Amino acid sequence: MLGCGVVGTGILELLKKNAQTIEARLGVPIDVTRIAVKDASRARESVVPGSLLTTDPRGVVDAEDVDVVVEVMGGVDAAGELLMAALENGKHVVTANKALIAERGDSLIALAEERGVDLYFEAAVAGGIPIIRVLREALASDRVVALRGIVNGTSNYILSRMYREGLGFAEALKGAQEAGYAEADPTLDVSGGDACHKLAILATLAWGVRVRPDQIATEGIDQIDAVDMMFAERFGYVIKPLAVARETESGDLDLRVHPALVEKGSVLASITGALNAVYLEGAMLGPCLLSGPGAGALPTAMSVVSDIVDVARNTIAKAHARVPSRSVLSAQMRVRDVQDIGANRCRFYLRFSVHDQPGVLARIAGVLGAFDVSIEQMVQEGRGGDDEVVTVVMLTHDAREKDLKDALREIDRLSPIASPTVAVRIES
Ligand code: NDP
Ligand code: HSE
């Protein structure tokens, strides 16, 4: 093992508690022989055998007695170099590292194929939900049309606690960190970066295309205020951290990560806390929902160890690399255009902070109309009068995103506008 933090410790606990179950399914036991960490002197849970700890990760990937290298240390550069060395040495690799697979998956998979070894990464997307297996194996006969998901547990946990318990952002984030859901650098969670990595992996598996994270329009939940949740509720919505991938009418891919208003009665609205969900639509299958724990030690460890069991089964059957890592054969991988976010059409939630002067609403509505954005509903909150700042919330009809943004740029320059307008997409 490379790393023994939240997930690594969970793997050791699961291997201990489920040893009999696993051996009954596999016929052989799984032995952990070496564990690389950064600081071997750090206090650890009793399930971690101190005698196996080393601060020499390279020694682990080079060791003759290691069949499978399990990477749960995180980060891209060091982990990437170690896994390239492991594959070069003919070791099978299991990783939970979405940043690494999204950024360097191409070269790692190419090397694994060249060496005829397995490279598995079920835990990299949606923790304990077996979404990679579903896309790679269960849907091997179908074509994915669209998928919409909540794939960052930390963001969902933060928004859920802000909404249900009125917690502040910082306090909710602290809770996610204490529960072991957040990345070592939680900016990755709240900025949408982690979900972006996961969506790149999902889109690659769903369509057999190379998707770079920088092709995905990404916004985090850090722009969402408790007041937006309150207004969303008044209109019958909740705010969720979404990842969306779908084929457009022209055949491009629409790939986006952003918070969005979803209807209170919808399936994604009911996914709360650190739960994740992927709601996908197969051309033949139709709609299908997968949901479950998206982060945390044991659910993630479960996915990692199931990958190890798969590798061991392949070893016993002498059938390594039987299933292509990205669901399609590498020679069949394609490049597909990604739709510019400006071309996206949806309804929008808009929150304006305005000095309550006569005619201000007409000026806002006028600019929106000039850019072909039409208003569906509106509320104003605040006492008004004496040029006080009040909140005006509008829901728009379907609008083109570029038009909406151009309109807001102009509106935010109007003198009665007190602070930049907040715009959140409404996903149907
Ligand atoms: P932690 O920060 O809890 O653990 C990281 C571990 O890696 C620690 O044991 C640390 O050592 C070790 N480590 C870090 N750098 C090095 C290095 N250069 N050499 C040797 N060891 C090193 O992270 P998590 O367990 O939460 O996450 C691990 C991976 O799993 C990440 O890629 C994450 O994205 C992914 N993941 C995490 C989930 C979760 O719910 N936490 C869910 C799904 C995926 P030391 O203990 O000495 O500090
Ligand atoms: N930090 C990640 C999350 C861990 O919160 O979803 C699971 O990938």
Side-chain angles (χ1 to χ4, degrees), residues 361-373 403 406-412 414:
L361 285 183
R363 290 177 74 187
I364 291 174
V367 178
L368 288 173
F371 283 92
D372 213 16
V373 179
D403 295 335
D406 287 346
L408 292 186
R409 210 166 296 120
E410 197 156 305
I411 288 170
D412 282 352
L414 298 176

Side-chain angles (χ1 to χ4, degrees), residues 4-7 37-39 42 44 73-74 98 180 183 296 300:
C4 191
V6 172
V7 180
V37 291
K38 203 159 29 175
D39 176 5
R42 194 159 75 75
R44 292 176 197 271
M73 61 184 257
K98 47 276 165 130
E183 295 301 300
T300 310

Side-chain angles (χ1 to χ4, degrees), residues 241-279:
L242 292 196
V244 178
R246 61 174 195 100
E247 278 181 329
T248 68
E249 293 67 30
S250 64
D252 294 349
L253 291 179
D254 171 21
L255 304 174
R256 308 174 259 129
V257 166
H258 54 74
L261 274 72
V262 299
E263 274 178 39
K264 262 183 175 173
S266 66
V267 283
L268 292 182
S270 66
I271 307 300
T272 56
L275 289 178
N276 278 192
V278 179
Y279 186 73

